Amino acid sequence: MYISKIHIQNYRNFGDFTMEFHKGLNVIIGANNSGKTGLLHAINLLNSPSDISVNDFNKNLLLQYSKLYSDAAPSIIIEYNICHRIYENDTNDESIIRLLPFLGIKGFEENRYEHDGIAEYNISAQIKAVYALDTKYLEEYKRAVSNEAKDFETYLLVLKRFVDNHYSWNYTNGISETKAEQKSVTEIFDIRFIGAERTSEEVRKETKQEIVSFTKDADNVADFDKFRHDVSEELEKLLSPSITKLTALFENEKNAIGLEKGNVSITSTVRANFSLADAYATEVKDTKSGYSLPLQYNGLGYNNLINIYMLIKLTEIRPGKDFRILCLEEPEAHLHPAMQYKLFKYLRDLDETDGLNQQIFVTTHSSNISAVAGIDNMFMLAYDRNKDGSDCSQQSLQAQFTDKDGTTNKAEAKAHLTKFLDVTRSDMLFSDKVILVEGIAEKLLVPLFMEIYSCSYEDEHISIVEIGGKHFKYFVELFNGNAVKKKVLCITDKDFKWIGSDGNNGLRSYSEYENEKPSHITDLKEKFPIENFSICTQSIGGCTFEDEFFLTNMVDKSVASAIFKRAISDTVRDFFDKYGFDLTAWDTHIEELDGRSRKPIKKFLDAYKSRTDTSMDRTSDYEKLIFAEIFLHYAKSKKGDVALEILTDETLLNEDGSSKLVVPRYIQEGLAWLLK
């Protein structure tokens, strides 16, 4: 038995929200305040309906109280769709009895299947829970709103008064609309909720519940009562001298307070009035030294791990009887990344082998967990604050990568992401916006560019993802056409070849450069014609990020010199110190360079001299381009190192600590689009 779908109206972040779930492991990811905790609490209301207050109403709707709630009181509606598979000859399955008030008769026979000669049914049920004002108090509510609610704050005070006194849950079969008792709802699932703020007390509480359930079993009650009686007799023998003294003391003094007249006497005895739960203790044992300590004396990380593990394993005590749901909020708290990985690999493997024996809902901000949880188990959750009415949206990653018609590359994209969704790349799952870049240099320098552009990627919740090539389509597919409309900016290289490979070694023209349409960019635009995706690439002569960056900063020769020196070899650096950015001097004195340096530089100088465009108005541009090509030649084998050196070069800072660097125009345009 499991919750297959939930529909939430007017609860916390959710205005009108629907989400489907998996039978086993459900990992819900998203930015802060995206609705993850609210979703877990909505599920937990099945077991704990009293955990609700005026603060649980959707605030965006309450703000419109004068329009929406002057003649009608707000209500919260949550519908839970439940699925369960039963077998025709299984007489021990109690689920059908628990679900009877909420079953739908239609389609029952259609959901009968034969498997290995055994008939089985996939049954569906629906619980509709409505938290609403008792209709007897509606007129009183309307008068109070009219007379007292002068603004939102005073309206909240009015609403709180009615919520505290006249609101209650009403339950119906969501299919037939027949009424149901609250008890019939709260007894369907055994829901365990572990919040983000937890201690080892959770372990003790949950394990003791199992001990208590044992003592309530009819077969064990008599044995347990006899055990307590025997313990009482042994304790009485042991404490007999003290009991005799106390009895004599009370007997001698009883008349002083007038007990004798009331035919009352005081006696002393011993009763073992304990439960087995009181005797149970969870301890941790040092496997090297052999000593044991109470759980609370252990480290928070291991306690957290033990807590989660024990709650999962407790389902094996009575499999098939308790239909359990575990709601686990931020399990990464206090856990080392390696422990996070180990725990969720364990959960994922259990889920894949159908061994969880319960439904688990997990909310997390941990990229370590998302990296191992598995794409099929994950859901993205987002809260759109700019949308009219501001509501949550969600996307199942399993559904996102389901290739419905066989004509797309979703299966290929899923395989690629499954392989490469490591800790760094999974950051994009939690951000509001994403920048995809090809290599390490962009990854290092784009944050600086954003700072120069007066944009904090932390404040804007932007994730910068280095994909290690041009496989953008696999990553963009993650956000293609789904409800979670994250903006995705792709920064990619034009990869224009300035020096022809057809025997013509002269520089090609800027007109060819400007008309070049790289096939990978064209393919991306055709494949993803979606409003939340944009591509930017070089525009002033650069063929890669590095040479475009250099060309942009040629406006200040001192800045350009500092950047240039970070890439070139020592011998070329000495040569540059003598002749600077004087192309004629480089050509005149090229023999001063050693042979290893002379050969590639001569190729660039010869290309300049035999360029196809000899117009005078472009001469300066082509001269700069040659130095950009030389810079790229030396930088391409050490892009990350060059970027790091640029980041740490104090000569590239102004007196106030700001950067002297100029952001390339195409990146400025991309950031402007991203921040709109």
Side-chain angles (χ1 to χ4, degrees):
M1 185 190 297
Y2 67 100
I3 300 173
S4 60
K5 185 168 74 173
I6 193 169
H7 180 206
I8 308 172
Q9 294 174 278
N10 199 19
Y11 178 74
R12 297 200 177 186
N13 278 15
F14 308 109
D16 192 341
F17 175 84
T18 301
M19 188 170 183
E20 295 185 3
F21 301 120
H22 305 318
K23 178 183 176 184
L25 182 62
N26 299 265
V27 180
I28 299 137
I29 58 179
N32 287 321
N33 292 326
S34 58
K36 300 187 300 297
T37 297
L39 180 62
L40 293 195
H41 279 281
I43 294 168
N44 193 49
L45 285 171
L46 271 174
N47 247 179
S48 303
S50 61
D51 292 342
I52 195 163
S53 74
V54 69
N55 297 311
D56 288 309
F57 288 89
N58 183 281
K59 292 297 186 293
N60 292 308
L61 294 174
L62 288 189
L63 283 167
Q64 306 175 61
Y65 73 93
S66 60
K67 177 182 175 183
L68 299 176
Y69 303 130
S70 58
D71 293 322
S75 60
I76 293 171
I77 303 173
I78 306 177
E79 295 172 273
Y80 307 86
N81 284 59
I82 300 170
C83 287
H84 184 59
R85 179 175 294 180
I86 60 172
Y87 299 91
E88 201 165 62
N89 298 322
D90 186 1
T91 58
N92 297 316
D93 192 342
E94 300 173 3
S95 60
I96 190 68
I97 299 172
R98 298 193 189 193
L99 288 177
L100 272 177
F102 306 101
L103 286 178
I105 305 301
K106 259 187 172 181
F108 191 81
E109 188 60 34
E110 286 82 349
N111 287 309
R112 184 181 186 275
Y113 303 92
E114 290 276 346
H115 184 71
D116 293 335
I118 300 172
E120 57 186 58
Y121 298 86
N122 290 328
I123 62 173
S124 299
Q126 188 180 97
I127 300 168
K128 184 174 181 180
V130 181
Y131 187 67
L133 177 68
D134 189 327
T135 54
K136 299 187 296 192
Y137 299 98
L138 179 59
E139 292 303 317
E140 183 182 337
Y141 164 85
K142 289 160 63 174
R143 285 194 300 272
V145 172
S146 177
N147 298 330
E148 301 174 42
K150 307 304 180 187
D151 52 30
F152 179 65
E153 293 301 320
T154 53
Y155 171 73
L156 276 185
L157 293 175
V158 171
L159 181 60
K160 184 179 186 304
R161 186 167 74 242
F162 281 86
V163 166
D164 290 346
N165 296 290
H166 306 306
Y167 266 73
S168 61
W169 285 102
N170 300 288
Y171 299 94
T172 58
N173 180 321
I175 302 168
S176 66
E177 296 296 329
T178 54
K179 291 185 177 181
E181 297 295 322
Q182 180 170 290
K183 188 177 180 182
S184 65
V185 174
T186 57
E187 291 185 348
I188 293 177
F189 290 102
D190 181 11
I191 301 178
R192 311 294 172 97
F193 186 98
I194 305 180
E197 298 179 6
R198 53 188 176 270
T199 66
S200 59
E201 180 65 19
E202 294 287 342
V203 175
R204 191 181 69 83
K205 183 178 73 174
E206 297 296 339
T207 51
K208 284 196 173 187
Q209 283 187 14
E210 293 300 328
I211 303 296
V212 170
S213 68
F214 172 83
T215 62
K216 289 180 180 178
D217 193 313
D219 296 335
N220 302 315
V221 170
D223 289 340
F224 179 56
D225 287 344
K226 184 179 182 304
F227 173 78
R228 266 196 308 209
H229 178 267
D230 293 343
V231 171
S232 297
E233 286 189 340
E234 291 298 318
L235 286 173
E236 192 167 5
K237 290 176 187 177
L238 181 65
L239 299 172
S240 178
S242 296
I243 292 170
T244 301
K245 286 180 183 179
L246 289 170
T247 301
L249 175 65
F250 296 146
E251 183 67 26
N252 292 334
E253 300 292 334
K254 67 180 182 180
N255 202 43
I257 55 174
L259 293 179
E260 196 170 56
K261 273 193 172 184
N263 298 316
V264 175
S265 66
I266 301 172
T267 187
S268 299
T269 189
V270 175
R271 293 284 184 267
N273 292 321
F274 61 86
S275 69
L276 285 181
D278 294 325
Y280 178 85
T282 302
E283 295 185 337
V284 290
K285 185 175 182 179
D286 189 298
T287 54
K288 287 187 177 180
S289 63
Y291 67 83
S292 297
L293 285 171
L295 193 62
Q296 61 266 31
Y297 286 86
N298 202 39
L300 288 174
Y302 274 105
N303 276 2
N304 195 29
L305 189 64
I306 291 168
N307 185 2
I308 298 166
Y309 173 74
M310 290 185 69
L311 287 177
I312 293 166
K313 295 301 288 183
L314 282 172
T315 61
E316 297 179 7
I317 294 176
R318 295 187 295 166
K321 279 190 173 182
D322 285 340
F323 305 101
R324 290 195 172 174
I325 293 174
L326 175 60
C327 295
L328 183 56
E329 188 179 16
E330 299 179 20
E332 63 268 21
H334 311 301
L335 282 184
H336 184 276
M339 294 168 71
Q340 295 175 29
Y341 180 92
K342 193 76 174 176
L343 171 64
F344 267 80
K345 187 176 184 301
Y346 168 75
L347 291 179
R348 187 197 65 196
D349 292 346
L350 270 181
D351 186 46
E352 289 176 351
T353 58
D354 204 26
L356 272 180
N357 212 19
Q358 64 189 307
Q359 193 174 19
I360 297 181
F361 297 93
V362 178
T363 65
T364 183
H365 295 131
S366 171
S367 54
N368 298 289
I369 289 174
S370 62
V372 73
I375 284 176
D376 285 345
N377 297 317
M378 286 194 287
F379 299 81
M380 288 191 298
L381 205 63
Y383 182 63
D384 188 354
R385 292 164 179 82
N386 298 315
K387 181 181 174 183
D388 291 341
S390 298
D391 208 348
C392 289
S393 56
Q394 60 83 24
Q395 180 62 43
S396 159
L397 296 197
Q398 183 184 63
Q400 181 67 16
F401 288 103
T402 298
D403 199 348
K404 295 180 177 64
D405 57 9
T407 61
T408 68
N409 72 329
K410 289 192 173 187
E412 186 183 354
K414 180 181 177 180
H416 186 94
L417 278 177
T418 300
K419 185 177 180 181
F420 289 102
L421 203 61
D422 59 18
V423 173
T424 301
R425 294 178 177 89
S426 63
D427 282 346
M428 65 183 171
L429 300 174
F430 303 93
S431 61
D432 291 340
K433 302 168 184 175
V434 180
I435 300 176
L436 301 174
V437 299
E438 290 189 17
I440 185 64
E442 298 99 309
K443 172 80 171 177
L444 291 170
L445 288 173
V446 166
L448 175 61
F449 293 165
M450 296 179 73
E451 184 183 324
I452 296 169
Y453 197 72
S454 299
C455 166
S456 169
Y457 76 102
E458 294 97 345
D459 292 343
E460 292 287 337
H461 305 291
I462 297 172
S463 176
I464 303 170
V465 182
E466 175 204 348
I467 69 168
K470 289 184 167 57
H471 303 297
F472 293 100
K473 62 182 180 181
Y474 301 134
F475 291 84
V476 180
E477 190 66 64
L478 184 62
F479 311 104
N480 180 22
N482 64 44
V484 181
K485 295 188 180 298
K486 296 187 183 188
K487 275 193 163 184
V488 181
L489 174 65
C490 173
I491 298 176
T492 187
D493 292 339
K494 198 168 189 175
D495 288 330
F496 182 80
K497 303 295 183 185
W498 276 104
I499 301 174
S501 57
D502 55 357
N504 181 6
N505 293 324
L507 282 184
R508 296 163 67 189
S509 68
Y510 266 92
S511 60
E512 289 181 85
Y513 176 86
E514 289 161 355
N515 292 323
E516 180 84 0
K517 298 187 186 300
S519 59
H520 75 285
I521 295 178
T522 302
D523 291 345
L524 281 172
K525 287 180 177 179
E526 289 177 355
K527 183 171 178 58
F528 303 109
I530 50 179
E531 61 181 5
N532 57 309
F533 174 61
S534 183
I535 305 169
C536 62
T537 191
Q538 297 82 28
S539 59
I540 63 169
C543 57
T544 72
F545 168 79
E546 288 77 18
D547 55 345
E548 184 86 356
F549 168 63
F550 177 78
L551 282 168
T552 300
N553 283 279
M554 284 286 281
V555 293
D556 187 329
K557 290 296 192 293
S558 65
V559 171
S561 297
I563 296 171
F564 194 72
K565 287 182 174 182
R566 294 299 175 191
I568 56 179
S569 64
D570 291 341
T571 54
V572 178
R573 190 177 293 116
D574 293 337
F575 187 80
F576 175 74
D577 285 338
K578 288 174 67 176
Y579 303 113
F581 292 118
D582 186 337
L583 201 64
T584 302
W586 278 57
D587 188 42
T588 303
H589 301 282
I590 193 168
E591 296 300 322
E592 295 179 19
L593 289 169
D594 63 274
R596 186 176 178 181
S597 302
R598 188 187 312 132
K599 185 177 179 181
I601 290 174
K602 187 175 186 306
K603 180 187 76 171
F604 293 123
L605 294 174
D606 289 344
Y608 168 76
K609 287 186 284 189
S610 37
R611 65 189 187 274
T612 57
D613 182 0
T614 57
S615 58
M616 293 297 295
D617 59 335
R618 280 288 194 183
T619 297
S620 175
D621 293 331
Y622 287 117
E623 288 180 352
K624 292 175 183 176
L625 183 63
I626 290 299
F627 286 110
E629 289 284 297
I630 294 171
F631 172 78
L632 180 61
H633 170 77
Y634 283 99
K636 64 184 178 183
S637 61
K638 51 180 181 180
K639 293 179 179 180
D641 292 335
V642 172
L644 278 173
E645 290 185 18
I646 290 170
L647 283 172
T648 56
D649 190 342
E650 293 186 357
T651 67
L652 294 174
L653 298 176
N654 295 308
E655 289 185 4
D656 61 358
S658 61
S659 179
K660 295 179 180 178
L661 297 173
V662 180
V663 181
R665 187 176 70 193
Y666 77 106
I667 293 180
Q668 288 187 43
E669 293 171 350
L671 292 177
W673 172 84
L674 196 67
L675 297 174
K676 279 197 299 188

